[in-house]
Amino acid sequence: MRWENLSGDGSAVNPALFGTDVVTRTFNTPEFAGITFHEVRARSIVNRVPGASRMPFEWTVNPYRGCTHACVYCFARGTHRYLDLDTGAGFDTQIVVKVNAPDLLRRELGSSRWRGQHIAMGTNVDCYQRAEGRYRLMPGILTALRDYTNPFSILTKGTLILRDLDLLRSAAAVTDVGISVSVGFTDEALWRTVEPGTPAPERRLDVVRTLSSQGIPCGVLMAPVIPFLSDSPAQLRTTVRAIAAAGATSVTPLALHLRPGAREWYMQWLAEHHPGLVRHYEGLYADGAYAPKWYQRRITRQVHELAAEYGIGPADSGTHRRIDVHPDRTEPQEAEPESPHCTQLTLL
């Protein structure tokens, strides 16, 4: 699964993944300054999560690859390497857009082989990143999921999800819908350097408030909790208190993890902004991508204690609706494989 000599006109691309009619566009507008979009026609859109994944779901839909949120720690950076694209600045600025995602999803949901399994979105890169404001893929995706009463969840840092509030409400009336917003901390100075392309944490909490006020339960994935930068008892309390005040139904903490692709980019950022912490990180993450179990347990315990104090708790996995299979549905295409180095995260 690789790009093959991706050129300016995008004419040479692996046909097993995408069609050959790839269009590359660069927009000279303030919103997309320096961003290049590779518009592709995907051959499949419902992807099976690798069997070795720890995640509690089997299927994902990812209309984009790469992300203008530019979070320096993003674990999905390694997937760009798998396409022979740069995992650093390239991940932030070279965005693959699957322009046929809504139509393709409708076709695959209509297959006689599809059994209405839960579909997770926003678990690789954010489906409500800034590019969605231009390409508007999610309304068609949500409409297809609603029409087939297919259960789904969305994890996002994007405020653009509120644009689709009516669709979310109509989908929630016929199937199981789970919404989670990612807010790892509320420190604005840290946000500006580590998540420079995302809405501010307070704006994301506004999303939680709005969804909750509209009768759509919304949890918060408190991720990542960043060692030595957002994990002090006072910082954890401030963040959990803000999450509770926003009306979140749950809060689930996740300590920073640094997989290949993300690790190099994050450590470069750390050396520039917090050079005194480099040695501490080398020790903490000496055994691999994940923080030690003792650290993860400590953060989880502290956050859950604070959540109980403020009247919220961890998320429940819930159940997902199954749908009837109609004999007139068409057969799906082969699912596009995800990178073998990529597992996905969600709190549902």
Side-chain angles (χ1 to χ4, degrees):
M1 186 171 67
R2 294 180 181 274
W3 294 99
E4 293 179 354
N5 303 317
L6 183 63
S7 60
D9 62 3
S11 58
V13 63
N14 186 346
L17 270 183
F18 312 117
T20 56
D21 53 340
V22 181
V23 176
T24 298
R25 303 181 191 273
T26 301
F27 301 103
N28 293 318
T29 62
E31 183 181 10
F32 297 121
I35 307 297
T36 298
F37 295 103
H38 304 289
E39 299 172 359
V40 305
R41 297 191 64 80
R43 294 186 179 274
S44 65
I45 196 66
V46 180
N47 307 313
R48 185 187 286 274
V49 177
S53 171
R54 307 176 182 180
M55 296 305 109
F57 51 85
E58 293 185 64
W59 302 95
T60 64
V61 165
N62 297 301
Y64 301 97
R65 285 178 178 269
C67 187
T68 53
H69 282 343
C71 302
V72 296
Y73 53 75
C74 182
F75 67 88
R77 288 182 177 277
T79 64
H80 247 39
R81 175 181 294 155
Y82 202 63
L83 297 176
D84 286 343
L85 293 172
D86 175 54
T87 63
F91 181 83
D92 305 335
T93 61
Q94 301 284 324
I95 311 300
V96 178
V97 184
K98 302 173 188 177
V99 293
N100 62 332
D103 292 338
L104 193 53
L105 177 61
R106 183 171 290 275
R107 187 178 76 190
E108 294 184 9
L109 293 179
S111 166
S112 60
R113 292 189 294 179
W114 181 247
R115 293 294 184 268
Q117 295 97 322
H118 177 86
I119 289 176
M121 293 177 285
T123 58
N124 192 17
V125 300
D126 203 318
C127 52
Y128 281 106
Q129 61 177 286
R130 282 183 291 145
E132 172 61 18
R134 173 178 176 83
Y135 287 98
R136 299 183 61 87
L137 300 180
M138 286 302 293
I141 289 171
L142 295 177
T143 300
L145 290 164
R146 179 200 63 192
D147 291 351
Y148 281 98
T149 64
N150 202 101
F152 65 90
S153 62
I154 298 172
L155 172 64
T156 185
K157 288 186 175 83
T159 56
L160 191 57
I161 190 174
L162 295 180
R163 179 201 64 193
D164 297 337
L165 185 57
D166 288 343
L167 275 171
L168 292 171
R169 273 198 297 250
S170 63
V174 298
T175 191
D176 296 321
V177 176
I179 309 296
S180 303
V181 174
S182 178
V183 183
F185 47 84
T186 56
D187 184 326
E188 289 217 358
L190 180 59
W191 157 66
R192 290 182 186 279
T193 58
V194 80
E195 299 172 342
T198 65
E202 185 59 31
R203 300 288 75 76
R204 286 176 250 161
L205 292 174
D206 285 341
V207 171
V208 179
R209 291 186 186 91
T210 300
L211 291 174
S212 299
S213 70
Q214 295 295 317
I216 300 177
C218 183
V220 169
L221 181 64
M222 190 170 160
V225 176
I226 304 179
F228 312 112
L229 293 174
S230 71
D231 65 346
S232 73
Q235 289 171 313
L236 296 177
R237 175 174 289 276
T238 296
T239 302
V240 174
R241 182 170 58 233
I243 291 169
T249 57
S250 63
V251 57
T252 303
L254 184 70
L256 176 72
H257 59 281
L258 298 172
R259 297 182 191 158
R263 185 184 187 111
E264 299 88 338
W265 193 243
Y266 181 83
M267 293 302 289
Q268 180 179 324
W269 172 86
L270 192 70
E272 178 181 352
H273 293 273
H274 303 281
L277 292 179
V278 170
R279 182 171 297 179
H280 294 288
Y281 268 79
E282 290 173 345
L284 194 64
Y285 290 89
D287 293 332
Y290 292 88
K293 291 291 186 182
W294 63 262
Y295 180 85
Q296 297 183 51
R297 293 191 187 102
R298 189 188 81 190
I299 295 300
T300 298
R301 182 183 69 254
Q302 289 177 312
V303 170
H304 285 178
E305 289 173 355
L306 290 166
E309 180 180 338
Y310 288 109
I312 56 177
D316 295 324
S317 59
T319 58
H320 305 300
R321 178 178 305 195
R322 297 294 294 271
I323 63 173
D324 294 332
V325 178
H326 302 296
D328 58 344
R329 292 179 180 174
T330 58
E331 292 299 310
Q333 300 296 309
E334 282 291 317
E336 175 191 333
E338 294 292 340
S339 163
H341 302 296
C342 176
T343 56
Q344 284 107 17
L345 301 174
T346 185
L347 54 75
L348 293 173

